[in-house]
Amino acid sequence: MASPRLETFCCPNRDAATGFVVNFQSVLFGALSLGSAALSLIFAVVQVLPKRKGYRRLGQYPLPRPASSSRILFIISVCDILGCAGIIIRSAVWLGLPNFINSISVANNTDVLPEVFCVGSAMWIQLFFSASFWWTFCYAVDVFLVVKTSAGISTIVLYHMITWGLAVLLCVEGVAMLYYPSISDCEQGLQHAIPHYVTTYAPMLLVLTANPVFFSRTVSAVTSLLKGRQGIYTENERRLANEIKIRFFKIMLVFFVCWAPNIINESLLFYLEMQVDINDSSLRDIRNAALTTWFIMGILNPMQAFLNTLAFHGWTGLDVDLSLQQSRELAWDSGSTSVPHTAGQQPTAGTTLLYQSHVQEAQKGMMGNGQQHSDAISVLSEGNWLSNGGSRSPVYQGW
């Protein structure tokens, strides 16, 4: 799982609250984290790999490059998968080499390898999950800009600078302050550790507070565009707006379910740290709640990788196509744009967004506002094309 407590654990003179949760049933906790991360990584990779059964490849149609929003979703999945890989490695070492991990708690230990592994694995996990948070925020911003301004794909470069820059900066700054003056002799005091926890939870809280606002405004803008195309609001358009709303809701639901336990657990542990004796009988319920949320975090944090792919794309199936040709045609978003061979066959997987260049080309060639609005909405839909008598028409199936 991803918790700043695991980085605090790398200090031999760690606080009592951190030692309390990390040392409680550590074998069981490591096994649960390892199992959850392994399952999440396997299914997430299966989700994003190209599929072949009953679908035409993306390369069969001369489609333009994918929109920045579809690339962002793919990058989020990659960050989640790399974060899960870090959890798997760390949990496997903790379970397989207990003496190696126990040496972390030895003050003035001459063997620095355990501390290096502890810090390195914790920073790896924090970096990629933090980057996932920043990319999730950029996704909310991007889909809003697509509706409002039809922003070009060049914005992906700016998103890379923002997300990776902030993720690396905050991770390094938080760890540097936590391990001052040295890893083997971290400075004591709650005030000293607070900056590290702030840099860890700031992007998480940003997503929880800002993304619902952006998603809500995007849905309102989409509804206005749908109504403005012909001056009426048909059942199909109402269904499209509702599916977009559901897609946003699923993304936020996954994020809340996977990371809300972290905030609750951290609040409980901070409360325990402020007590004179955390083993006092009056704090029994607080300790039990902290341990419960700790184990919930160990299971749910890694599951974000798989659950995110479900929220983004739905279940894409197990019929993976690993052929060289398909690998070359794989677009940035998972599964690419899939097209059934027959009009009667319902697609089981699709991309999250159409392509922004559709909007740009439409704006160059069309003067009517209704046509521009239609293309803007198509950018925000999954954009599966059904074969219908040799012609292809967009089928809006939500985000």
Side-chain angles (χ1 to χ4, degrees):
M1 69 168 194
S3 171
R5 293 287 168 177
L6 293 174
E7 291 170 335
T8 307
F9 179 78
C10 299
C11 295
N13 55 338
R14 66 188 70 94
D15 61 271
T18 299
F20 167 67
V21 291
V22 175
N23 292 322
F24 181 82
Q25 296 289 336
S26 58
V27 174
L28 176 60
F29 178 82
L32 290 174
S33 297
L34 177 61
S36 177
L39 287 176
S40 181
L41 185 145
I42 292 171
F43 282 106
V45 171
V46 170
Q47 280 280 92
V48 301
L49 286 176
K51 307 302 186 297
R52 60 186 173 186
K53 185 176 181 180
Y55 292 94
R56 298 175 181 175
R57 294 191 178 107
L58 176 64
Q60 288 184 259
Y61 298 128
L63 297 178
R65 296 175 65 190
S68 59
S69 295
S70 62
R71 293 190 175 197
I72 290 173
L73 294 183
F74 179 76
I75 294 171
I76 293 174
S77 295
V78 171
C79 290
D80 291 339
I81 289 171
L82 290 175
C84 280
I87 293 177
I88 291 173
I89 294 173
R90 185 189 63 198
S91 299
V93 171
W94 281 36
L95 290 173
L97 302 172
N99 292 332
F100 179 80
I101 299 302
N102 290 335
S103 62
I104 297 174
S105 302
V106 179
N108 300 319
N109 187 11
T110 57
D111 187 5
V112 298
L113 186 57
E115 293 178 346
V116 170
F117 171 79
C118 183
V119 175
S121 60
M123 288 186 64
W124 174 280
I125 296 168
Q126 179 189 341
L127 174 64
F128 284 106
F129 277 116
S130 179
S132 175
F133 300 157
W134 287 115
W135 277 112
T136 303
F137 171 72
C138 287
Y139 172 74
V141 174
D142 189 76
V143 294
F144 176 73
L145 293 179
V146 166
V147 178
K148 285 294 187 179
T149 64
S150 299
I153 198 170
S154 61
T155 54
I156 194 71
V157 178
L158 177 62
Y159 295 148
H160 274 290
M161 295 172 61
I162 293 174
T163 54
W164 294 114
L166 288 174
V168 172
L169 177 65
L170 293 178
C171 181
V172 172
E173 185 271 341
V175 167
M177 296 193 67
L178 178 65
Y179 297 137
Y180 177 84
S182 70
I183 258 185
S184 59
D185 187 24
C186 302
E187 186 173 325
Q188 295 292 317
L190 186 61
Q191 294 84 354
H192 177 69
I194 284 179
H196 171 59
Y197 291 92
V198 170
T199 57
T200 301
Y201 286 104
M204 184 190 304
L205 294 174
L206 178 65
V207 172
L208 288 173
T209 55
N211 277 36
V213 177
F214 279 108
F215 285 155
S216 177
R217 296 191 63 180
T218 300
V219 170
S220 299
V222 167
T223 303
S224 299
L225 287 178
L226 290 172
K227 290 181 179 179
R229 288 194 299 175
Q230 296 178 348
I232 57 176
Y233 196 44
T234 65
E235 182 63 28
N236 288 337
E237 290 166 334
R238 185 178 292 106
R239 187 184 306 114
L240 170 60
N242 187 55
E243 288 175 352
I244 292 174
K245 186 184 302 183
I246 292 175
R247 173 65 61 86
F248 290 157
F249 173 77
K250 289 190 294 185
I251 292 174
M252 290 308 305
L253 178 63
V254 168
F255 194 89
F256 181 82
V257 168
C258 290
W259 298 107
N262 293 56
I263 299 175
I264 298 173
N265 179 264
E266 205 59 62
S267 301
L268 294 172
L269 292 180
F270 266 120
Y271 179 79
L272 288 176
E273 282 188 44
M274 292 185 292
Q275 308 305 311
V276 176
D277 181 13
I278 67 170
N279 296 314
D280 189 274
S281 60
S282 62
L283 301 174
R284 179 181 177 181
D285 292 339
I286 301 296
R287 292 196 301 271
N288 290 339
L291 292 173
T292 300
T293 52
W294 179 257
F295 276 81
I296 291 174
M297 289 163 56
I299 298 172
L300 291 182
N301 285 181
M303 287 305 298
Q304 176 182 258
F306 174 52
L307 295 178
N308 260 346
T309 62
L310 290 179
F312 296 157
H313 317 291
W315 174 245
T316 61
L318 299 174
D319 192 10
V320 176
D321 187 356
L322 298 179
S323 64
L324 180 60
Q325 180 184 7
Q326 180 70 3
S327 300
R328 291 175 178 175
E329 293 168 353
L330 181 62
W332 273 95
D333 68 298
S334 70
S336 303
T337 300
S338 303
V339 185
H341 284 293
T342 61
Q345 181 180 357
Q346 294 296 326
T348 59
T351 58
T352 310
L353 299 171
L354 249 180
Y355 300 100
Q356 289 173 341
S357 54
H358 287 187
V359 175
Q360 297 162 356
E361 292 298 325
Q363 289 175 339
K364 292 177 182 178
M366 298 291 180
M367 297 299 295
N369 289 333
Q371 180 65 35
Q372 292 183 9
H373 290 169
S374 177
D375 290 325
I377 297 301
S378 71
V379 172
L380 309 181
S381 62
E382 288 193 356
N384 292 313
W385 278 277
L386 297 178
S387 299
N388 186 11
S391 64
R392 298 187 301 273
S393 60
V395 179
Y396 302 130
Q397 297 190 3
W399 288 68

